[in-house]
Amino acid sequence: MNPTVPTALGPPRDPAAPDSRRRIGAWHPEDPVFWETTGAAVARRNLVWSVLCEHIGFSVWSLWSVLVLFLGPEYGIDPAGKFLLTAVPTLVGAALRLPYTVAVTVLGGRTWTVVSALLLLVPTVLIGVVLHPGVSYGTLLVTAALAGVGGGNFASSMANINAFYPQRLKGRALGVNAGGGNLGVPAVQLLGLLVLATAGAGHPRLVVLGYVPVIVLAALGAALRMDNLSGARPPGRPLREVARQGHAWAVSLLYIGTFGSFIGFGFAFGQVLLVQFPDAFPTPVRAASLTFLGPLLGSLARPLGGHLADRRGGARVTFWTFAAMAAGAGLVLLASREDSLPLFLTGFVLLFVLSGVGNGSAYKMIPAVYRAEARRKAARGEDAGAAEARAHQHANALMGIAGAVGALGGVLINLAFRQAFLTGGTGEPAYLAFLAWYVLCLAVTWAVYLRRPDTV
C-alpha cells in the first residue's frame, strides 16, 4: 500500500508527491496499487523530459559527424583528420559516462539533468565562435573533445529512468528513453543537410547556434517538471563492486557490438560514402542526404528491441541480433568488393536497424541479470528487500560501465575506418573486423547467458 505521512499543517501528505524542491520521499514502482494510482504518471512525466534532454545531448555529441562535411579544401584537413575529429568526441563521451552515472546518485536525477543540459552550451557556443577557415586543427580537436559532454547524458539519463519503472516495464521504458535520445543523431544530421542545401557549405555555424535556445528551454523544463528520488545514493561503492564481476565485462563487450556500431557508424557514415564512392557522392550535400537514414531507423528500432526483450528475453533477442549483424557486415564487405552502392547502402541500413534492436535488448539484460541474482539470494534465505535494493544499485552501476565501454566501440570504428582508408584506400579491412566482432559477441551471448537461462 502507499503510506502517508502527517504534516504540521493540513492533511497527511503522500510521500510519493514531490515537495517544493521537486524531491520525492518514497518510491515503490513494484507495488501495483502505487504504480496505478501515482507511480505511472510521475514516471511518464520524468521520462518525457529525460528523453528531450538526452536527445539534445546526442545531437551535440554527434555535431562533428555533420560539421566535417562542411570542412572543404579551405580548412586543409584530409579524410584521416576528419575521421579523428569524429572519434575524439566519442572517446570523451565514453569517458564521461561513469562520472555522469555517479552524479545521478549523488545529486539526484532532476538536478543532474539540469546541470548536464546546461553544460551543452559550452561546446555549442565555442563551435559557433571558432569554426571558420583558417582555424587551427588543434583548436578544432579541442572543440570536438568538448562536444563529448553530450555523450555522458545517456548514462545518467538511463540510470535515472531505471529507478522510476518496475521490472516488467524496464525494457520498454529504457528503450523509449534511449531511442528518443538516439534520435538526436539523425536530427542534427537532417539539420546539417538543411543548412548545406540552403545556406551552403560556407555556413557551418548555423548548425550549432540554433541549439543554444533549445538547450536553455530543455534545462528550464527539466528544472520545473522532473523530480529527484530521495535516498538514491547507495551505500558502498556499486561501480567498484560491479567492475569486479564477470557480467560487467560480458555485457559491456556485447554493448560495444550494438551501441558502438550505432554511434560509430552514425559518426562515420557520411565520410565513408564520400571516400568510398566519390563518383556517386561528389558533394557533401549528396552524402548528407543519406547519412541521417541509418541513425533514424536505428533509433526507432531501439524501443522495439526493448519490447521484444520484455516478451522473449534479452539474451535470446541479442543472440539473434548479432547473427543478423554478422550477415549484414558480410553484405557490406561483399558490396565493397563488388563496388555496388545499392548493396552497400542496404547492408549499412540493416546494420543500423539491427544495432538499434540490439541496444534495446542488451540494456534490458542488465536489470534482468541482477533481478535473477536477487531471486537466488532470497531463495538462499537472504533478506529479499535488501537483495532487490542491491540489485537495482548494481544495475545502475552496470548501465554506466556498459554505456562507457560500449561507446568506446564508436571510437574503434572511426579509428578502424581511418586506418583502413589511410593505408589501403578501402574500408574492407574494417568491414572484416566488424564481422569478426559480431561473431565473437554471438558466441559470448550464447556461452554466458543462453547456456544458463537462469542468469537473465
Side-chain angles (χ1 to χ4, degrees), residues 130-141:
V130 307
L131 191 57
H132 55 79
V135 62
S136 70
Y137 186 68
T139 300
L140 293 182
L141 282 176

Side-chain angles (χ1 to χ4, degrees), residues 164-185:
F164 277 95
Y165 278 83
Q167 179 67 30
R168 70 184 187 279
L169 299 177
K170 285 185 187 293
R172 185 183 306 170
L174 293 175
V176 169
N177 188 59
N182 291 170
L183 282 171
V185 180

Side-chain angles (χ1 to χ4, degrees), residues 251-408:
V251 173
S252 295
L253 183 146
L254 302 183
Y255 206 56
I256 288 175
T258 59
F259 182 75
S261 295
F262 172 83
I263 200 66
F265 294 151
F267 278 32
F269 193 42
Q271 275 300 299
V272 170
L273 291 177
L274 287 173
V275 177
Q276 178 128 10
F277 297 96
D279 293 335
F281 298 97
T283 65
V285 176
R286 291 286 298 274
S289 66
L290 289 176
T291 53
F292 75 92
L293 182 61
L296 173 63
L297 295 176
S299 301
L300 294 175
R302 183 157 189 161
L304 173 63
H307 179 67
L308 288 174
D310 281 339
R311 294 173 59 86
R312 304 295 182 184
R316 186 176 293 109
V317 174
T318 302
F319 176 86
W320 288 110
T321 297
F322 278 123
M325 289 183 75
L331 185 62
V332 169
L333 180 62
L334 175 63
S336 178
R337 290 177 175 174
E338 297 294 327
D339 199 30
S340 171
L341 179 59
L343 201 60
F344 188 84
L345 293 175
T346 300
F348 255 108
V349 167
L350 284 174
L351 286 176
F352 272 113
V353 172
L354 292 167
S355 69
V357 173
N359 284 339
S361 62
Y363 246 61
K364 165 63 179 179
M365 291 170 63
I366 294 174
V369 163
Y370 289 107
R371 184 71 182 275
E373 182 180 289
R375 288 197 298 265
R376 290 193 295 271
K377 289 180 178 179
R380 293 195 298 265
E382 297 186 28
D383 180 80
E388 284 286 347
R390 205 63 185 158
H392 171 72
Q393 294 159 3
H394 283 170
N396 274 357
L398 182 47
M399 285 181 181
I401 293 173
V405 176
L408 289 175

Side-chain angles (χ1 to χ4, degrees), residues 77-161:
I77 304 173
D78 62 11
K82 292 178 182 179
F83 278 120
L84 186 58
L85 283 172
T86 59
V88 167
T90 315
L91 177 62
V92 174
L96 288 176
R97 288 187 165 191
L98 289 179
Y100 270 54
T101 301
V102 175
V104 169
T105 64
V106 174
L107 299 177
R110 166 186 171 269
T111 302
W112 184 247
T113 299
V114 174
V115 172
S116 61
L118 291 175
L119 284 174
L120 299 175
L121 291 171
V122 177
T124 51
V125 172
L126 186 60
I127 292 171
V129 171
V130 307
L131 191 57
H132 55 79
V135 62
S136 70
Y137 186 68
T139 300
L140 293 182
L141 282 176
V142 171
T143 57
L146 289 173
V149 297
N153 288 26
F154 171 83
S156 55
S157 179
M158 294 293 276
N160 184 42
I161 293 304

